[in-house]
Amino acid sequence: MTLRDVAERAGVHPGTASRALNPETQDLVSEATVRKVQHAAKVLAYRPNPMARGLKTNRSTMVAIVVPDLSNPLFPPIVRGAEVELSRAGYTSIIADTDNEAGRELAAFAALRARQVDGLLVASARRDDPAIAELFEQGVPAVLINRRSDGVALPAVTGDDERGIELAIAHLRELGHTAIAHLSGPRELSTGLSRQRTFRQVIAETGCDTSPDLVVECETYSVEAGAEGMHELLERARPTAVLAGNDQIAVGAIDALRERGLRCPEDVSVVGFNDMPFVDKLSPPLTTVRVPHAEVGAEAARILVRWMTRGEAASATTALPVELVVRGSTGRAPVRTAQAVSNTSG
Amino acid sequence: MTLRDVAERAGVHPGTASRALNPETQDLVSEATVRKVQHAAKVLAYRPNPMARGLKTNRSTMVAIVVPDLSNPLFPPIVRGAEVELSRAGYTSIIADTDNEAGRELAAFAALRARQVDGLLVASARRDDPAIAELFEQGVPAVLINRRSDGVALPAVTGDDERGIELAIAHLRELGHTAIAHLSGPRELSTGLSRQRTFRQVIAETGCDTSPDLVVECETYSVEAGAEGMHELLERARPTAVLAGNDQIAVGAIDALRERGLRCPEDVSVVGFNDMPFVDKLSPPLTTVRVPHAEVGAEAARILVRWMTRGEAASATTALPVELVVRGSTGRAPVRTAQAVSNTSG
DNA sequence: ATGAAAGCGCTAACAA
DNA sequence: TTGTTAGCGCTTTCAT
């Protein structure tokens, strides 16, 4: 079924049929012909050929969503939120998984651009990311998700990391904790850096123990790195509470505590970040900062669509509100350990 | 950069340049010209326009992967496995999420076919699925993943459900269980039906308690349905072990046990199916049947590629080997409860 | 308001 | 072995 068939059946010229079928140009055609053509199209079950259209218009109505690891439960909700919004706007999404490798990201961008995607949603950004810098310089419509990239004026949509850290620390303070540690994510990622910075600042402002030993940076956002980080932390300090850079690190931290015979939350409280699926089923159920991931994806998609359609190359950064979800991994500070720590570091 | 530019720079006709760049037709051209053209292409950073090519060849080198719910941790590894294999064969994958709705599946198929995908990988099949029947009748290359569809001779790649059930029951029998229940998945899905059937058969063969009260069918493969099913089961019988239709149901079952003050595995052992990420972090860590999901996706992709390229419309069914992963949710049958059950149902 | 015609970038018969 | 030519299905300027 081509446009020619529709035009023939409606008794009009293919050009006219094209105008009648396209909402943008529909008003250049008489109402009667529009109806005729639409009817013919319906009868013939006509589906426009996106390749022919794309070849002519130089647009593909396809958008790429680039994630660092689709198997990380964090990303499917983001992808979902974005997809819904994109398909509503008539775009098809292609998902690319970079496997957390800079090289693959570069390759993915190239392949996607070759596919003529109209825009990109990128959740795999590192702070130092030449591939993204290039994207930016080329002026390709692209919106960053979750992670930002240094020195690149691309719009970004994230959860409100600062607020999340504030909420978590306030919660721990209310429970009487003063020796609060941070198992930070890698500083090469904007989330790792900004959460770590905010942590240090808020801790200082609230008059908690500011010993540098209480901040350990994990190499990756993984369970293994979290466990490793926790072991290192416990060799240097005796915190009564740990704020993890994300949920995976928190899970690893709890594993490490268990290995050392420490109980969570009786001996050490742990707070995560993200509220991934299933962290409420862990033992103990994880207290964590909930980021509205689907909404993050959806908002990023909306910004991208606006850019692609109206040419508005926004560069603003959007931080969506987060909330603290209190579950079983946090409890009152143990009096004895707390004293021991303040002695140690005082 | 178009093929014309490359041809001009190499001093040949565009047709020749096309032949020189395409591996399939490269041998129709002298080696010297191939080198000239390839060099020119490299210098100009030429990228063929897939739309122009597709318009001409009527192929898109795109494949759709249709999943019922991307947020279900089961699917990302499948998608990943498939994507790797597809991109190796030069295909780009488009992922569609049907949200577990038949209507959305139909819409997705239509949209995807309009996009001219060359083939589909479908993980969202129901046993009675007109959309898939239509796909089949149209002769579109498509491979089913995990779930099959009744009366449709489409190739399917799954885990070996029968073997999985056998392994699980054998394990429970070794632990002394005879009152083994099944919290089955929905019978509208091939996995639900086949696991349920195998369960009944193996239970009968091994001389266990075959009371029909010991099989409860859950409405969906979800934590909530699993909990509901477990409550229903406990009102009818007193099993010492439960074989769940999948991991989500198992998680729900453990929740329900806890609500009723029953311990797992001391009072009731629970076995899951799939070995989703993070089930090893649950409390207790879940004993489950591991399905090689990435390999399932990869194998399905390979079959699809063969079909698309060589036109081999296979229809065979492939069941990949599974293994039992024993963790903390299964233990020896409690002597007292076991007796109570055999009294009740005897 | 509609028709005519050209052309997007590529491939594939056919010719030479 | 290479050049020529036509055309995939659509949009869009220009004419009418």
Side-chain angles (χ1 to χ4, degrees), chain B residues 85-97:
Chain B
E85 209 60 39
L86 288 172
S87 85
R88 175 171 310 172
Y91 290 89
T92 299
S93 19
I94 298 183
I95 298 168
D97 190 328

Side-chain angles (χ1 to χ4, degrees), chain A residues 209-338:
Chain A
D209 185 342
T210 58
S211 156
D213 283 341
L214 286 173
V215 176
V216 169
E217 184 177 331
C218 301
E219 290 205 5
T220 64
Y221 275 128
S222 66
V223 174
E224 296 70 33
E228 229 174 278
M230 189 73 204
H231 282 301
E232 192 181 326
L233 176 62
L234 289 174
E235 269 152 33
R236 312 207 301 220
R238 280 279 166 265
T240 64
V242 175
L243 174 45
N246 79 347
D247 289 343
Q248 273 102 332
I249 289 179
V251 169
I254 292 175
D255 283 354
L257 286 172
R258 191 169 296 134
E259 272 180 43
R260 299 203 163 212
L262 290 165
R263 293 159 306 162
C264 173
E266 292 80 357
D267 299 316
V268 180
S269 288
V270 174
V271 180
F273 209 107
N274 278 337
D275 195 26
M276 284 185 347
F278 285 95
V279 292
D280 56 328
K281 300 292 177 197
L282 300 177
S283 159
L286 192 65
T287 294
T288 188
V289 175
R290 174 177 296 161
V291 177
H293 294 295
E295 184 52 26
V296 167
E299 180 60 20
R302 275 180 230 120
I303 294 173
L304 182 65
V305 168
R306 235 173 289 143
W307 186 347
M308 293 185 302
T309 56
R310 295 215 265 283
E312 294 172 19
S315 73
T317 249
T318 310
L320 262 30
V322 298
E323 58 179 319
L324 185 74
V325 183
V326 177
R327 299 204 182 94
S329 66
T330 47
R332 293 212 63 79
V335 177
R336 223 171 314 171
T337 314

